[in-house]
């Protein structure tokens, strides 16, 4: 596995790190520092929120071509899911998935997946119908097998050759996102279940400092009115460290129930 020049010491909190216990890859788990990488993801993981994000982008940036970043994109499921939903809504966009792990970026570019039965059911059943499975079938085809998953037991799927020309994947570190993307160039950043991997259960001041630093850097990437999307409930963890950083950096919440979508607003006061 290639790791480039990433300093993994920043990703190991004093308290045992959550992702060390939730990695899907036993080899990664036993191979530090790579063992601190967690590649838990799936297609249409947050379908209702994603549909809300798509409508929000349509309202904020009508008739514009968008640039969207997925930080900590893992194997690419989130990037491909958002791309499908945007296409369904006739929104033109370029999407970039970024992950710290070069090995997983390689898999994301291939667009080949194993979906076991439970995972497949997870994204077709939340709304009581199969609309996500139907959408998935428009963009992916069954694949006989994959060398990427030598021990897999589920069904294999691979992206269609003529799909997802607007998606690409890059190795990168969210701590350096301000250097990876130009200032004021991104309409939306998906940052789900990423920041808490940097945080410490025992050090509140440290957590607030880290969140403030990362939010500032992502803010630099965003255009005016750009948005950052988080996962449900993570805003409330670590004594609201992420929420405090967002408010301190002039973001406003666009969905008060789940607090998953936050909009850049500092330019309004200038």
């Amino acid at each position: 596995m290639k790791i480039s020049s990433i300093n993994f010491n920043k990703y190991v909190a004093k308290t045992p790190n959550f992702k060390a216990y939730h990695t899907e890859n036993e080899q990664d788990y036993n191979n530090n520092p790579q063992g601190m990488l967690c590649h838990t993801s799936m297609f249409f993981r947050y379908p209702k929120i994603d549909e809300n994000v798509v409508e929000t982008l349509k309202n904020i940036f009508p008739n514009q071509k968008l640039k969207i970043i997925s930080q900590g994109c893992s194997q690419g499921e989130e990037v491909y899911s958002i791309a499908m939903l945007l296409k369904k809504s006739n929104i033109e966009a370029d999407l970039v998935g970024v992950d710290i792990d070069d090995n997983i970026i390689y898999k994301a570019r291939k667009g080949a997946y194993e979906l076991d039965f439970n995972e497949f059911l997870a994204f077709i059943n939340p709304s009581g119908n199969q609309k996500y499975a139907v959408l998935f079938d428009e963009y992916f085809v069954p694949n006989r097998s994959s060398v990427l998953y030598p021990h897999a037991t589920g069904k294999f799927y691979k992206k269609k050759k003529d799909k997802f020309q607007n998606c690409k994947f890059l190795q990168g570190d969210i701590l350096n996102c301000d250097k990876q993307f130009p200032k004021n160039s991104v309409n939306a950043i998906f940052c789900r279940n990423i920041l808490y991997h940097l945080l410490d259960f025992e050090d509140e001041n440290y957590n607030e400092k880290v969140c403030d630093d990362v939010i500032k850097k992502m803010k630099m990437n965003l255009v005016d009115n750009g948005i950052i999307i988080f996962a449900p409930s993570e805003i409330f963890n670590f004594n609201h460290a992420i929420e405090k950083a967002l408010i301190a950096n002039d973001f406003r919440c666009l969905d008060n129930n789940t607090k998953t979508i936050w909009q850049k607003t500092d330019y309004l006061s200038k």
Side-chain angles (χ1 to χ4, degrees):
M1 180 185 294
K2 296 185 294 181
I3 298 297
S4 187
S5 59
I6 301 301
N7 179 6
F8 279 90
N9 289 330
K10 296 181 180 180
Y11 288 84
V12 183
K14 298 174 186 176
T15 307
N17 198 299
F18 174 88
K19 54 188 163 181
Y21 297 102
H22 290 73
T23 180
E24 294 178 329
N25 189 318
E26 184 177 353
Q27 181 179 357
D28 285 350
Y29 178 89
N30 293 320
N31 186 17
N32 288 317
Q34 293 93 322
M36 304 312 291
L37 302 176
C38 176
H39 302 304
T40 301
S41 189
M42 61 183 293
F43 288 97
F44 303 107
R45 189 175 185 181
Y46 305 111
K48 293 183 179 179
I49 291 173
D50 287 347
E51 290 180 352
N52 188 16
V53 169
V54 169
E55 286 301 310
T56 300
L57 289 171
K58 184 185 295 185
N59 293 332
I60 297 175
F61 305 107
N63 304 315
Q64 293 186 37
K65 183 176 182 178
L66 308 180
K67 182 172 183 178
I68 298 174
I69 306 299
S70 170
Q71 288 287 354
C73 69
S74 187
Q75 299 172 153
E77 293 97 327
E78 178 174 77
V79 173
Y80 292 130
S81 295
I82 299 302
M84 287 184 275
L85 291 174
L86 289 169
K87 183 68 174 179
K88 182 181 178 183
S89 296
N90 298 313
I91 298 176
E92 189 177 3
D94 289 326
L95 297 92
V96 182
V98 181
D99 200 275
I100 201 170
D101 183 353
D102 262 352
N103 182 58
I104 216 68
I105 285 295
Y106 172 79
K107 291 183 177 182
R109 288 171 179 159
K110 290 293 185 182
Y113 299 94
E114 180 219 4
L115 297 182
D116 64 32
F117 183 71
N118 289 329
E119 182 178 12
F120 192 75
L121 286 182
F123 75 73
I124 68 174
N125 282 338
S127 60
N129 59 56
Q130 296 188 0
K131 63 180 179 179
Y132 301 111
V134 171
L135 187 59
F136 183 84
D137 286 341
E138 293 180 16
Y139 289 83
F140 287 83
V141 294
N143 198 30
R144 183 176 301 177
S145 63
S146 175
V147 295
L148 299 177
Y149 306 96
H151 305 296
T153 59
K155 293 184 178 180
F156 295 102
Y157 296 85
K158 187 174 183 178
K159 65 180 180 180
K160 293 182 179 179
K161 290 183 178 180
D162 61 335
K163 303 295 185 181
F164 303 116
Q165 298 298 315
N166 61 330
C167 299
K168 68 177 182 179
F169 297 89
L170 303 173
Q171 192 273 345
D173 185 351
I174 194 172
L175 294 175
N176 296 316
C177 64
D178 56 322
K179 299 180 178 66
Q180 187 162 25
F181 300 103
K183 187 176 180 180
N184 303 325
S185 65
V186 180
N187 300 93
I189 301 173
F190 285 82
C191 182
R192 289 168 166 166
N193 303 312
I194 304 300
L195 292 188
Y196 64 76
H197 293 310
L198 298 169
L199 305 183
D200 192 318
F201 287 99
E202 301 174 350
D203 194 335
E204 181 178 330
N205 291 331
Y206 170 81
N207 294 341
E208 292 182 5
K209 181 179 179 181
V210 169
C211 289
D212 185 69
D213 178 60
V214 176
I215 296 296
K216 274 185 168 68
K217 291 176 178 177
M218 288 194 290
K219 178 181 174 180
M220 292 176 65
N221 294 154
L222 289 173
V223 301
D224 292 345
N225 278 327
I227 61 175
I228 303 179
I229 303 96
F230 296 90
S233 79
E234 68 175 315
I235 290 292
F236 305 102
N237 294 329
F238 292 94
N239 196 28
H240 295 254
I242 298 174
E243 181 179 25
K244 292 175 183 176
L246 287 163
I247 293 173
N249 285 282
D250 299 302
F251 281 83
R252 67 177 177 184
C253 183
L254 298 184
D255 58 331
N256 290 322
N257 290 330
T258 62
K259 293 194 174 182
T260 55
I261 307 175
W262 293 75
Q263 184 179 38
K264 174 181 174 180
T265 63
D266 65 320
Y267 70 96
L268 294 173
S269 60
K270 293 180 181 177

